Amino acid sequence: MANYSTNEFKGGLKIMLDGEPCAILENEMVKPGKGQAFNRVKIRKLISGKVLEKTFKSGDSVEGADVMDTDLAYLYTDGEFWHFMNNETFEQIAADEKAVGDNVKWLVENDVCTITLWNGNPIAVTPPNFVELEITETDPGLKGDTAGTGGKPATLVTGAVVRVPLFVQIGEVIRVDTRTGEYVSRVK
Amino acid sequence: MSEQLWAPSADISTLKQRAKILATIRAFFAERDVLEVETPSMCGASVTDVHLVSFKTRFVGPGNHQGQDLYLQTSPEFAMKRLLAAGSGPIYQLAKAFRNEESGRHHNPEFTMLEWYRPGFDEFALMDEIEQLMRQVLNCQPCSRMTYQQAFLDILGLDPLCASLDELKQCASEHGYADIASAETNPDTLLQLLFCMQIEPKIGIDAPCFVYHFPASQAALAKLNEQDARVAGRFELYYQGMELANGFNELTDAAEQAQRFEQDNQLRAQMGLPQVAIDQHFIEALQQGLPACSGVALGVDRLIMLALGKSRIDEVISFAVGRA
């Protein structure tokens, strides 16, 4: 993999840091009128998801990370791996528990997810921004409540727990924003 | 938001306020009988400073059909000192300066510099005058002053004039710069790192802050202090997280100046950077005799940012580099 000089730093560039692939979020040059320039960089570690700040001496190089995103449809899990397929080539990829992480609760069969590959191996799975899931468990709500004042917890078919308005019942399918974990609407 | 790149990066009301600040600066010097001058943006020689990269262009014309390399000036300093050596008396200039590889929130590769020289002033008398201008333009509190050494002692508990390379590495590592520290062999790079990242954000918050007596190793074009040769007559001005000005009690010794330029070139060789020809006109002017004086360069775009409360240099420049 190519090396990148700090001059090439920009948002979205993937580099290796402490043995982990990272994405550059922001890059700021700090330079005194007389003296060495530095790059203050905000970085997201792609495996742990941690965001951190790191300073480089300008002109230094870092190793690039062979990271790419690919859109694949979720097929099924065998308990150990989660299987995804490229809808055009029918090529399949299996992601382990570490790569799927907390997003396991948003995986819906046939939904197209973004799989992040590092050296060809999946390291992260990003579900679509909105998914539709059935409610398997929730307290019976009060009839006539439409304001959805406080709401109530509802368990979805994948195990995810979401706050829903009181009028939403077991067996209904709801739309959820996976980025915030919030209820959006009922699906007819 | 779709970006319309034909449009200015600063809004018109900002440009009107900018014009007012420039008029205030000119009036300030007119009142004090400091002469406004203009010097070339393109010169036959550049600077040896290892941390500056100049733009180069080529002049071809009558009497010069083979062409001559010219450099866009990183500051008008050498030419202005040639005027001083020729007997100009106190002078100032609002000049465009050009620095390659510099772009960001506080940097544009082409920027406006206010540079002025005061024969007979030491660095403290010049700081007094800068303070008067700051109070007029920024309407700020009186400036504070501290030595470079005191700033390090107060904020990092480290004496920058005595600390060994290992102590500097240790301090940088403790503040999260272990990767830079482990490979670094130049103490000044570590001092600059610690100053930029740890000290600058903490000084000059409520009022502009002068930091003076920079270490001799970072003297640049300043005289060394006569009482304590570990420090130089160099100062900087900081305000609200921004480096605003750099000034010197000017080195007038031609031989010492030439030697510092040669040291720069030796350092350039070690760092694998190209050699830069020394500006002989400047050295000859010093040999002719530069009057004892102090001078300062102040970033006008940054001054305007502070006066108008803008956070990006683009917002005070009509067309920043991305739209130039």
Side-chain angles (χ1 to χ4, degrees):
Chain A
M1 197 64 202
N3 277 3
Y4 293 106
S5 148
T6 54
N7 281 334
E8 298 171 85
F9 280 12
K10 59 175 183 186
L13 186 74
K14 311 290 195 300
I15 57 167
M16 291 299 295
L17 195 65
D18 307 325
E20 186 174 331
C22 300
I24 291 182
L25 302 176
E26 286 168 30
N27 170 41
E28 189 183 359
M29 186 179 83
V30 180
K31 186 187 186 301
K34 306 261 171 214
Q36 176 67 47
F38 301 96
N39 290 62
R40 187 158 42 200
V41 182
K42 208 186 231 181
I43 282 171
R44 188 173 60 235
K45 295 195 154 191
L46 292 175
I47 293 176
S48 63
K50 261 194 222 152
V51 173
L52 55 104
E53 242 186 40
K54 175 93 184 165
T55 302
F56 295 89
K57 190 170 142 181
S58 299
D60 280 358
S61 324
V62 289
E63 194 191 337
D66 179 8
V67 171
M68 58 175 265
D69 287 338
T70 175
D71 290 337
L72 302 175
Y74 172 59
L75 297 178
Y76 66 97
T77 177
D78 57 22
E80 192 182 354
F81 289 101
W82 284 257
H83 297 268
F84 296 83
M85 184 176 72
N86 183 321
N87 278 335
E88 277 155 32
T89 62
F90 306 114
E91 199 180 323
Q92 291 193 18
I93 280 179
D96 64 9
E97 194 177 349
K98 225 173 121 193
V100 175
D102 283 346
N103 285 326
V104 65
K105 61 177 186 257
W106 305 126
L107 293 183
V108 177
E109 277 175 32
N110 298 322
D111 271 5
V112 174
C113 302
T114 302
I115 316 294
T116 305
L117 302 174
W118 173 39
N119 298 330
N121 300 312
I123 52 166
V125 172
T126 311
N129 291 343
F130 299 100
V131 295
E132 293 174 359
L133 288 164
E134 187 187 330
I135 295 174
T136 55
E137 207 184 310
T138 190
D139 288 339
L142 297 166
K143 269 237 160 74
D145 177 274
T146 51
T149 39
K152 60 181 180 179
T155 307
L156 309 181
V157 66
T158 54
V161 178
V162 174
R163 277 202 90 73
V164 298
L166 297 180
F167 59 79
V168 178
Q169 304 298 340
I170 293 175
E172 286 190 288
V173 175
I174 61 166
R175 191 173 166 79
V176 184
D177 187 329
T178 61
R179 293 161 298 183
T180 58
E182 284 169 9
Y183 166 90
V184 179
S185 64
R186 279 193 291 187
V187 180
K188 292 274 154 55
Chain B
M1 192 185 67
S2 75
E3 280 210 297
Q4 297 194 303
L5 293 179
W6 69 266
S9 47
D11 56 46
I12 300 298
S13 68
T14 301
L15 295 179
K16 286 180 179 169
Q17 287 170 295
R18 181 182 173 108
K20 267 189 194 158
I21 292 170
L22 294 178
T24 304
I25 293 170
R26 287 201 161 94
F28 180 89
F29 290 108
E31 267 167 37
R32 288 164 177 75
D33 272 330
V34 179
L35 179 71
E36 179 168 10
V37 296
E38 290 176 290
T39 57
S41 292
M42 299 187 294
C43 290
S46 181
V47 284
T48 54
D49 187 320
V50 297
H51 298 298
L52 292 179
V53 183
S54 29
F55 290 91
K56 188 166 95 173
T57 187
R58 198 160 173 80
F59 167 58
V60 183
N64 228 322
H65 66 281
Q66 304 227 318
Q68 181 198 353
D69 284 339
L70 293 174
Y71 300 88
L72 296 188
Q73 289 308 285
T74 57
S75 108
E77 178 157 13
F78 298 170
M80 290 181 79
K81 285 181 177 169
R82 285 161 66 189
L83 289 176
L84 289 159
S88 66
I91 49 175
Y92 82 97
Q93 176 164 206
L94 280 162
K96 280 293 176 72
F98 305 86
R99 295 182 181 184
N100 208 345
E101 297 184 12
E102 299 193 9
S103 171
R105 215 151 55 83
H106 296 165
H107 297 82
N108 194 61
E110 171 180 349
F111 61 100
T112 303
M113 190 176 252
L114 167 63
E115 183 142 337
W116 81 95
Y117 290 88
R118 283 296 212 162
F121 278 33
D122 65 9
E123 68 263 43
F124 300 101
L126 185 58
M127 282 188 237
D128 290 340
E129 188 166 68
I130 297 166
E131 178 166 355
Q132 289 165 20
L133 179 63
M134 291 304 102
R135 298 198 67 180
Q136 258 188 45
V137 174
L138 298 174
N139 210 4
C140 58
Q141 299 293 307
C143 301
S144 63
R145 292 181 190 194
M146 70 199 307
T147 63
Y148 187 89
Q149 183 184 38
Q150 199 60 49
F152 268 83
L153 287 171
D154 287 357
I155 293 165
L156 296 170
L158 178 93
D159 186 342
L161 305 179
C162 305
S164 65
L165 181 62
D166 281 340
E167 285 166 330
L168 291 170
K169 285 183 173 203
Q170 169 89 27
C171 182
S173 297
E174 282 166 10
H175 288 89
Y177 311 108
D179 289 350
I180 295 178
S182 64
E184 193 51 61
T185 54
N186 184 342
D188 285 310
T189 303
L190 293 171
L191 288 172
Q192 287 156 4
L193 173 71
L194 290 167
F195 196 93
C196 278
M197 301 296 172
Q198 299 296 315
I199 297 178
E200 226 181 285
K202 298 195 178 84
I203 58 174
I205 304 298
D206 301 322
C209 177
F210 286 104
V211 175
Y212 61 97
H213 285 172
F214 267 63
S217 54
Q218 296 177 41
L221 285 86
K223 234 180 213 167
L224 295 190
N225 187 286
E226 278 161 17
Q227 278 81 49
D228 182 356
R230 296 177 306 166
V231 298
R234 176 179 161 206
F235 65 87
E236 293 247 7
L237 178 62
Y238 301 92
Y239 190 32
Q240 295 176 351
M242 221 149 16
E243 179 196 7
L244 207 45
N246 174 70
F248 302 135
N249 188 337
E250 303 291 349
L251 177 65
T252 53
D253 184 319
E256 190 177 340
Q257 186 64 74
Q259 197 191 348
R260 286 191 198 177
F261 287 158
E262 277 153 25
Q263 279 167 356
D264 282 347
N265 267 331
Q266 283 164 18
L267 194 53
R268 280 179 165 268
Q270 286 168 27
M271 295 167 76
L273 296 171
Q275 296 289 295
V276 172
I278 291 171
D279 187 337
Q280 292 304 332
H281 291 324
F282 174 52
I283 297 295
E284 281 163 27
L286 293 183
Q287 285 163 350
Q288 179 67 36
L290 178 68
C293 63
S294 287
V296 63
L298 187 150
V300 174
D301 309 294
R302 292 183 185 177
L303 179 69
I304 294 168
M305 285 171 69
L306 288 167
L308 306 182
K310 304 287 187 190
S311 61
R312 298 189 54 87
I313 199 166
D314 298 18
E315 296 174 81
V316 301
I317 294 178
S318 62
F319 298 100
V321 66
R323 308 170 180 235

